[in-house]
């Protein structure tokens, strides 16, 4: 079986949320596993000098419209949250801590966190909210709450973000197939074609 | 017949070049005309605070790779020019001046200018090069050379750019169908679907 593909995303990224609904099915069709890798766009934007689309002159209205339009096209529930974007350290740390124990459960948690934020408008920057959502999937509340403040877990996330930057990941979603990078949910058709053909 | 769709592009934009190969055929399938509208991204980037992708940290390598990859996928000849991006006032003025006389010829000129820059590596920021390319299509060399310095032609381009900004056009290609905006060559599938369905 060929190497897994890398799926980088930020929990505050609508386009990451949309891609998260699709990426496993696309990869599975071509016998690939997906390595889910939450990152922190805030740290990356400090390097690129980017800002969230919704904070940009001229672009903000378009961005909100494009997100809603794409959500309708994909049939994915979506409301741009009142607080947007948000810090996603707690969500990402919860993911990596869970992944070390149960990768499948970590993916379920990622989808649940995304849904809570973009469909239900819950503030997943709040560690207590993250723990609540995880507990709903049977994850131990006390252990996770402790893990979110644990220095090893913080370090793990920091290392993931640094490694992503070293690979020149600069947005969300960002997918790497055998060192070939694809940025944006708009590139999922190219991702699928690359997996099917081995490149062009 | 429904209203034409607006196709905004900058002559220095690779993604505008790619979209220019496709947009007429897409529109024609749905009985729409296309209003080609060259603009100046430089003026727009001053407002948005954007920079050309190829000048951005982390993004520059990706941008070059993405452009070449998309060109291969579309079967369009493409080499990122040594001088990139460039000023496109001369090209855009030549377009609008020609369009007032012969809209079909203006479109031919646009495609010829794009090809000269992105396939043949010619510097279309140079008014003499623009005039040479236009002359190859039978456009009067002396008249066009005079028009490129004419204040009414300059004003026409300035007004087009101002009007584009007023409509919140912030990138290239940028397509507007009945007030519905679509940014990027990646959105051509949505443009086609919107034309076919009237929206979703």
């Amino acid at each position: 079986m060929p190497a897994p593909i890398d799926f980088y995303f930020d929990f505050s990224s609508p386009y990451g949320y949309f891609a998260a609904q699709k990426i496993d099915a696309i990869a599975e069709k071509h016998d690939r596993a997906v390595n889910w890798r939450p990152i922190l766009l805030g740290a990356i934007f400090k390097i690129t000098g980017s800002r969230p689309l919704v904070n940009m002159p001229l672009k903000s209205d378009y961005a909100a419209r494009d997100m809603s339009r794409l959500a309708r096209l994909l049939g994915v529930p979506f409301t741009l949250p009142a607080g947007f974007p948000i810090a996603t350290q707690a969500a990402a740390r919860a993911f990596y801590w869970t992944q070390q124990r149960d990768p499948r459960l970590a993916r379920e948690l990622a989808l649940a966190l995304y849904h809570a934020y973009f469909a239900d408008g819950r503030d997943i920057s709040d560690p207590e909210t993250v723990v609540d959502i995880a507990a709903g999937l049977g994850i131990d509340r006390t252990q996770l709450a402790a893990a979110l403040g644990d220095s090893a877990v913080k370090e793990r996330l920091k290392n993931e973000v640094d490694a992503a930057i070293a690979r020149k990941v600069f947005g969300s979603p960002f997918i790497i197939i055998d060192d070939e990078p694809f940025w944006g949910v708009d590139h999922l058709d190219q991702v699928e074609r690359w997996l099917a053909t081995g490149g062009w």
Side-chain angles (χ1 to χ4, degrees), chain A residues 29-62:
Chain A
K29 253 196 261 181
H30 302 286
D31 297 321
R32 295 275 193 140
V34 180
N35 195 0
W36 288 48
R37 298 190 141 173
I39 51 169
L40 304 174
L41 278 187
I44 291 170
F45 282 3
K46 275 184 199 152
I47 297 171
T48 58
S50 288
R51 280 172 291 176
L53 267 177
V54 291
N55 296 348
M56 287 186 181
L58 294 184
K59 293 194 185 181
S60 56
D61 289 354
Y62 177 83

Side-chain angles (χ1 to χ4, degrees), chain A residues 79-147:
Chain A
T79 306
L80 192 63
F84 176 84
I86 52 167
T88 54
Q89 276 82 351
R93 286 175 192 152
F95 176 89
Y96 284 117
W97 181 80
T98 305
Q99 192 185 41
Q100 282 194 308
R101 281 147 193 81
D102 185 340
R104 186 179 298 266
L105 185 58
R107 189 165 318 188
E108 266 183 69
L109 175 61
L111 288 168
L113 288 165
Y114 257 149
H115 192 274
Y117 183 49
F118 286 117
D120 299 336
R122 296 178 69 185
D123 176 10
I124 62 167
S125 72
D126 179 359
E128 285 186 32
T129 303
V130 170
V131 170
D132 273 350
I133 292 163
L137 298 173
I139 294 168
D140 187 278
R141 184 183 288 271
T142 314
Q143 279 184 20
L144 176 58

Side-chain angles (χ1 to χ4, degrees), chain A residues 4 9 12 31 36 40 51 69 102 114 121 127 153 167 174 197:
Chain A
F9 61 99
S12 189
D31 297 321
W36 288 48
L40 304 174
R51 280 172 291 176
R69 187 170 61 194
D102 185 340
Y114 257 149
V153 176
R167 293 185 85 185
F174 201 100
T197 63

Side-chain angles (χ1 to χ4, degrees), chain A residues 154-164:
Chain A
K154 290 181 181 179
E155 192 66 16
R156 170 69 196 279
L157 174 58
K158 190 181 173 305
N159 290 341
E160 285 283 346
V161 174
D162 289 346

